[in-house]
Amino acid sequence: MSKISRPAAEPAAEDPDLARARGGDDSAFTRLVAPLRRELHAHCYRMLGSAHDADDALQDALLRAWRRLGGFEGRSSLRSWLYTVATRTCLDLAETRGRRALPVDLGPASDGAVIGDAPRTDVAWLGPYPDDPDARAEQREAVELAFVAALQHLPGNQRAALLLFEVLGFSAAEIAAMMRTSATSVNSALARARRMVAERVPSRTQQQTLRAVGDARVREIVAGYAAALERGDAGALVALLTEDVTWSMPPMPHWYRGLEAVTDFAVRVPLTSCGSWRHRLTHANGHPAAASYLWDEAAGAHLAWSIDVLTLRGERVAEITTFLGPENFPLFGLPASLP
């Protein structure tokens, strides 16, 4: 995991907007935090595993920061101070909402299609995250699905320490000050967190794979996936998949591993039973993705249905993670329906 480089220039203590914000000028405070909002939101997502929770956490964190701005003495950068506030806010929120899960966390794969699978509403599900078109490769690596899913298995203090050190580049001493603990405790948390994440995250990142495959070929693969679903073409779909492919669909609890089980599910459910599909190509969590729209007779349109995130291994699809629900579409700037 590459560290996200720190900005070359940060608002300093003598920044005129800082003085104005301390004096109660909320417009000045908005200008101060504007360059940092996107990265703070991504940090909240990594901590919480949900873009919607990240919205709540960032809003709460900035409100806390606004109210406590008089206590910011400039001994650290404003960025460091805001990360301190955001991290503590996320830790508080994580205690009440619990860790996010994927279907693979709940039990073994199903051998064949489960017909009539019902959503699990008692599980806090991991959610997708829209890509920033201006993000660098290391920023996309830091929100890849495997990494964010692995983070959810860590206690809050280990999750925070790993992100602040490995992703954001803060020192152990800085993290100790941010989390009100000792550098020894931070280093201990980092060691435990690294072991856990190493067991769950592939050695080759999705960004490395996508660079090797090339943008044009990646687009062909995602377009081929979408076209196979729209045509109901099982052969074309299977040709895109690895032998050990997995397919999961949160909030549905059942998931599938291997060509035989995945093909059985695909043939019996999305390719034949659901109706007419249409797609828009997009990106999520640093992965190629397809936004799926399903025909609704009453509406007379294809309605938002799922964000299908594809994980590639070479030029084949090794994982399909289908995030069901139209509530994710506004995150990606996608329409609610297609005529």
Side-chain angles (χ1 to χ4, degrees):
M1 180 61 59
S2 304
K3 287 185 173 68
I4 296 174
S5 56
R6 300 197 193 192
E10 299 175 337
E14 63 272 13
D15 190 306
D17 273 336
L18 183 57
R20 295 188 187 101
R22 281 200 178 111
D25 186 337
D26 58 353
S27 296
F29 180 73
T30 299
R31 289 193 296 272
L32 276 175
V33 302
L36 302 170
R37 286 187 70 100
R38 178 73 193 195
E39 62 174 280
L40 287 167
H41 191 272
H43 177 62
C44 292
Y45 169 74
R46 289 187 289 264
M47 284 288 296
L48 299 169
S50 161
H52 301 289
D53 281 359
D55 289 342
D56 294 342
L58 182 58
Q59 182 177 355
D60 190 12
L62 293 180
L63 181 59
R64 292 185 190 188
W66 167 245
R67 290 172 173 171
R68 301 172 187 174
L69 193 58
F72 172 59
E73 299 175 353
R75 288 194 293 264
S76 64
S77 69
L78 180 67
R79 177 178 181 268
S80 297
W81 184 70
L82 288 172
Y83 267 106
T84 300
V85 178
T87 299
R88 291 176 182 166
T89 301
C90 288
L91 289 171
D92 291 343
L93 194 60
E95 285 185 3
T96 61
R97 302 195 181 180
R99 74 176 182 88
R100 295 276 167 170
L102 287 172
V104 297
D105 299 316
L106 304 185
S110 299
D111 294 332
V114 178
I115 305 302
D117 197 9
R120 282 279 299 271
T121 58
D122 60 330
V123 176
W125 295 103
L126 187 74
Y129 195 70
D131 279 1
D132 178 357
D134 299 321
R136 299 183 299 277
E138 66 269 19
Q139 293 171 313
R140 289 194 174 97
E141 280 184 356
V143 292
E144 286 185 7
L145 270 184
F147 181 61
V148 177
L151 290 173
Q152 303 307 302
H153 291 268
L154 299 175
N157 67 316
Q158 293 182 26
R159 197 183 311 170
L162 186 75
L163 289 172
L164 292 169
F165 187 88
E166 296 287 2
V167 175
L168 296 165
F170 290 104
S171 69
E174 288 174 313
I175 297 168
M178 296 164 83
M179 298 179 64
R180 297 172 180 161
T181 187
S182 67
T184 300
S185 294
V186 169
N187 285 323
S188 177
L190 280 171
R192 292 193 296 271
R194 285 169 178 149
R195 286 195 296 271
M196 172 68 80
V197 169
E199 293 172 359
R200 295 178 176 273
V201 175
S203 58
R204 187 175 178 84
T205 70
Q206 190 65 184
Q207 301 315 299
Q208 291 170 328
T209 295
L210 297 178
R211 285 195 296 271
V213 173
D215 291 345
R217 180 60 181 141
V218 169
R219 284 193 296 273
E220 288 178 358
I221 294 167
V222 184
Y225 167 84
L229 286 176
E230 291 176 11
R231 296 195 309 267
D233 189 337
L237 178 63
V238 169
L240 297 171
L241 309 178
T242 63
E243 289 288 337
D244 60 347
V245 63
T246 64
W247 197 336
S248 62
M249 293 138 288
M252 302 299 182
H254 293 93
W255 63 286
Y256 308 93
R257 181 191 296 278
L259 267 182
E260 183 176 350
V262 165
T263 302
D264 184 60
F265 164 74
V267 169
R268 297 179 67 186
V269 182
L271 293 178
T272 59
S273 301
C274 292
S276 171
W277 294 102
R278 293 292 181 270
H279 294 85
R280 291 279 184 89
L281 303 192
T282 185
H283 294 83
N285 294 85
H287 298 239
S292 294
Y293 292 80
L294 186 59
W295 177 255
D296 184 280
E297 190 67 36
H302 287 83
L303 302 185
W305 185 259
S306 66
I307 303 293
D308 300 0
V309 182
L310 309 183
T311 301
L312 301 189
R313 188 190 307 141
E315 295 190 13
R316 297 290 183 92
V317 178
E319 297 176 25
I320 304 170
T321 308
T322 296
F323 293 99
L324 300 174
E327 68 275 6
N328 291 313
F329 279 61
L331 300 171
F332 291 81
L334 291 165
S337 64
L338 298 178

